[in-house]
Amino acid sequence: MKRNTREHILEISLSLFNELGEPRVTTNQIALEADISPGNLYYHFRSKHDIVLELFKRFLAQFQPLLEVPENSSLEAEDLWFQLHLSFELKGRFRFLYRNLTDLAHQVPNLGKAFLGLLRMERKAVRGLIESLERQDKLRITKNEKTLLLNNLMLALTYWISYAELIDADGLANGSVQTNAIAGVLQLVIPYLRPPDRKQFTELVQGYAN
Amino acid sequence: MKRNTREHILEISLSLFNELGEPRVTTNQIALEADISPGNLYYHFRSKHDIVLELFKRFLAQFQPLLEVPENSSLEAEDLWFQLHLSFELKGRFRFLYRNLTDLAHQVPNLGKAFLGLLRMERKAVRGLIESLERQDKLRITKNEKTLLLNNLMLALTYWISYAELIDADGLANGSVQTNAIAGVLQLVIPYLRPPDRKQFTELVQGYAN
DNA sequence: GTCTATATCTAGATAGAC
DNA sequence: GTCTATCTAGATATAGAC
C-alpha cells in the first residue's frame, strides 16, 4: 500500500490546491480528505513544500513532451489547435501552480527557478513554431513585431486560465475556458499570417470562440 | 499625529506588500518597519484585511478617473500611450493587488467582488476606446475579432506587470517594465488599424520597445 | 495615541506506540 | 505504514497601563 497512499495524497492535494488555492489548504485538511492521519501524511512527505514540488515535477514531466515540436512538419491550423488544446488542458489540471506564480516561487524553495526554466523552454518552443511558419512562408513578421508577439503569446499561455477562473469560476468545468484560451492565442497570430492561412485560421477560431 | 500614523502604516504596508507579497508580510513586521508597536497598529486598523482593503480603495480612487475616457476626442497614438503609461504606472505602485488576484479575492472579504467590478469597468472603457477608433474610421474590426481582442487586451492590462516581475525582478525599478507593457498592449491593436494610423502607432511602439 | 505584555489560535511538523 | 498525541513556532489580535 506504500505507493498507493503516496499517490492518493498527491491526488487529493492537487484537487484541493486547485479548488481552494494552495495557501488555504492545510496538511491536516489533506490528511482528513485522504482518510489518513496527519502523522501518516508526514511519513510519506517531509513537508507541504515537498508535496507542491512533487506535483510540479509531475506537471513538468507531462508538459515537456508537448514542447518538443517536430521541426519541419507542415503545421496546419488543426495541428496547432490540437497542441494548444493538450497544453491548456494540462495547465488546467495543475492550475494552482499558475494561479500563485509569484508567491509560490517565493515560498517553495527551488520552485521559482524551475518555473522560470519552464517558461524559457516554452518561449523557445513558441518561437520555434513561429519561425517554422515563417520558413514555410505562411507567416511574415518583422524582428521587432516577433518579440512583441512572443511576449503577448507567453502572457496568454501563462495567465489565460487564471484570468478566466477569476472572471467565471465555473467555466473550467465545461471546457469553455480552454476553448476561449485557444481562440485567444490563435487570434494573436492571425494578423501575421498570409491570406490563405489567415483564412483557414480565422474560420477555425470563429468556429470555436463563443 | 493620528492621521499621520495611519498614513504611515499604509505607506509601509504598501511597500512591504509590493516587495515581499502580502501573504509573507506580518502585522508585526509592518509595525516594526513603521517604528510603532503592534498594539498601536491595531489601534489604527482592526485587522490586516482592513489595511489591504484601504489600500485597494486608494488604488480604486486613483484608477477610476483614468477610465473616464473623453468620448469624442480624436485619440491620437500619443494620447493612448500617455493613458497607458499612467495606468501601468499606477498598477505598478499597487502591484501586490495584481500579483495574488485569486488568492486575495478569496481571503479578504469583499475584495473579490470589488475587483471584478473594477475589471468590468476597465473592459468597458477599453471597448469604448476601440469603438471610438472605429467611429473615426481609424480601426476596422469584426464583432468576433473585437471580443477576442478585448480578451487579449484585458489579459495584458491585468497581468503584464506580474509577468514582467516574474521574468525580471529588477525591471520595475528602471521603468522598462512599464514601457514594454505599453508596447505590448499597443501592438495588440495595431493589426486592426488602417494604414495611416497603423504606421503612426508602429513607429511609436518601435521607438519604445526594447 | 502609544506602549508592553500576553492571550489565542492555527499551521506545520515530530515522537513513540502499535 | 499507520495512528494518537503533542510540540513548536509564528501570526493575529487584545488588555490594560501610561
Side-chain angles (χ1 to χ4, degrees):
Chain A
M1 291 293 163
K2 183 187 173 192
R3 208 81 227 150
N4 232 312
T5 301
R6 193 180 153 86
E7 292 302 314
H8 190 221
I9 292 170
L10 287 171
E11 273 173 42
I12 297 286
S13 299
L14 178 57
S15 85
L16 286 175
F17 288 167
N18 280 337
E19 196 189 342
L20 305 170
E22 180 271 340
R24 275 179 305 291
V25 176
T26 71
T27 48
N28 285 336
Q29 214 177 335
I30 297 171
L32 188 73
E33 287 275 324
D35 265 315
I36 60 170
S37 66
N40 193 5
L41 184 148
Y42 279 91
Y43 171 80
H44 290 282
F45 292 93
R46 282 189 1 220
S47 71
K48 190 183 167 190
H49 289 168
D50 263 29
I51 299 180
V52 172
L53 272 175
E54 181 62 29
L55 286 172
F56 176 72
K57 271 190 209 161
R58 305 278 172 112
F59 169 68
L60 198 59
Q62 292 176 73
F63 190 50
Q64 270 178 323
L66 296 182
L67 296 180
E68 283 155 22
V69 190
E71 262 303 308
N72 288 310
S73 65
S74 82
L75 270 181
E76 299 302 321
E78 280 83 1
D79 303 333
L80 259 185
W81 195 91
F82 187 62
Q83 210 283 353
L84 283 170
H85 184 82
L86 290 176
S87 152
F88 274 120
E89 195 274 329
L90 182 63
K91 287 173 180 171
R93 276 194 288 126
F94 288 86
R95 62 187 180 280
F96 85 96
L97 289 170
Y98 280 85
R99 201 153 42 194
N100 283 20
L101 228 42
T102 328
D103 279 345
L104 265 183
H106 279 88
Q107 248 161 52
V108 183
N110 306 322
L111 188 56
K113 272 172 289 181
F115 216 102
L116 276 182
L118 176 67
L119 288 177
R120 265 193 294 272
M121 282 177 37
E122 191 174 13
R123 189 186 183 93
K124 201 174 152 195
V126 174
R127 161 167 263 132
L129 279 172
I130 293 172
E131 292 177 348
S132 164
L133 288 169
E134 268 183 298
R135 276 197 301 280
Q136 298 168 61
D137 200 28
K138 293 183 166 178
L139 181 146
R140 290 191 180 170
I141 192 166
T142 69
K143 195 166 168 296
N144 281 329
E145 286 171 339
K146 200 197 286 183
T147 303
L148 291 166
L149 175 61
L150 265 172
N151 286 343
N152 283 326
L153 283 170
M154 286 305 295
L155 203 66
L157 292 169
T158 307
Y159 288 105
W160 232 109
I161 289 183
S162 302
Y163 180 66
E165 193 172 33
L166 193 64
I167 300 295
D168 166 27
D170 306 324
L172 270 153
N174 58 41
S176 68
V177 162
Q178 284 83 351
T179 312
N180 283 324
I182 297 168
V185 169
L186 290 181
Q187 185 65 33
L188 290 171
V189 180
I190 285 180
Y192 305 98
L193 292 172
R194 305 199 60 209
D197 291 279
R198 191 185 305 176
K199 186 160 172 292
Q200 188 194 5
F201 274 66
T202 301
E203 281 165 9
L204 192 69
V205 167
Q206 303 299 357
Y208 282 104
N210 74 0
Chain B
M1 291 293 164
K2 184 189 173 192
R3 207 84 228 147
N4 232 312
T5 302
R6 193 182 153 85
E7 290 304 312
H8 191 220
I9 292 170
L10 286 172
E11 273 174 43
I12 298 286
S13 298
L14 178 56
S15 86
L16 286 174
F17 288 167
N18 280 337
E19 195 189 342
L20 305 170
E22 180 271 341
R24 275 179 305 290
V25 176
T26 72
T27 48
N28 285 337
Q29 214 177 335
I30 297 172
L32 187 74
E33 287 275 323
D35 266 316
I36 60 169
S37 66
N40 195 4
L41 185 148
Y42 279 92
Y43 171 80
H44 290 281
F45 293 93
R46 284 190 1 222
S47 70
K48 190 182 166 190
H49 289 168
D50 263 28
I51 300 179
V52 173
L53 272 176
E54 181 61 28
L55 286 172
F56 176 71
K57 271 190 210 162
R58 306 277 173 113
F59 170 68
L60 198 59
Q62 292 177 75
F63 190 50
Q64 269 177 324
L66 296 182
L67 296 182
E68 281 153 23
V69 190
E71 261 303 309
N72 288 312
S73 64
S74 84
L75 270 182
E76 299 303 318
E78 280 84 0
D79 304 333
L80 260 185
W81 194 91
F82 186 61
Q83 209 283 353
L84 283 170
H85 185 80
L86 291 176
S87 150
F88 273 120
E89 195 273 330
L90 182 62
K91 286 173 181 172
R93 277 193 288 125
F94 288 86
R95 62 187 179 280
F96 85 95
L97 288 170
Y98 280 85
R99 202 153 42 195
N100 281 23
L101 231 40
T102 328
D103 279 345
L104 266 183
H106 278 88
Q107 247 160 53
V108 183
N110 307 323
L111 188 56
K113 268 172 289 180
F115 216 103
L116 276 182
L118 176 67
L119 288 177
R120 264 192 295 270
M121 282 176 37
E122 192 173 12
R123 189 186 182 95
K124 199 173 153 197
V126 175
R127 161 168 264 132
L129 278 173
I130 292 173
E131 292 175 349
S132 162
L133 288 169
E134 267 184 297
R135 276 196 301 280
Q136 298 169 63
D137 200 27
K138 292 182 167 178
L139 182 146
R140 291 193 180 169
I141 191 167
T142 69
K143 193 166 169 295
N144 281 328
E145 284 171 339
K146 199 196 287 182
T147 303
L148 291 166
L149 175 61
L150 265 172
N151 286 343
N152 282 326
L153 283 170
M154 285 306 296
L155 202 66
L157 292 168
T158 308
Y159 288 104
W160 231 110
I161 289 184
S162 302
Y163 180 65
E165 194 172 35
L166 193 65
I167 300 294
D168 166 26
D170 305 324
L172 270 152
N174 58 40
S176 68
V177 162
Q178 284 84 349
T179 311
N180 282 325
I182 297 168
V185 169
L186 289 181
Q187 186 64 34
L188 290 172
V189 180
I190 285 180
Y192 304 99
L193 292 172
R194 303 199 62 207
D197 292 281
R198 191 186 305 176
K199 187 160 171 291
Q200 188 194 6
F201 274 65
T202 300
E203 279 164 10
L204 192 70
V205 167
Q206 303 299 356
Y208 282 104
N210 76 2

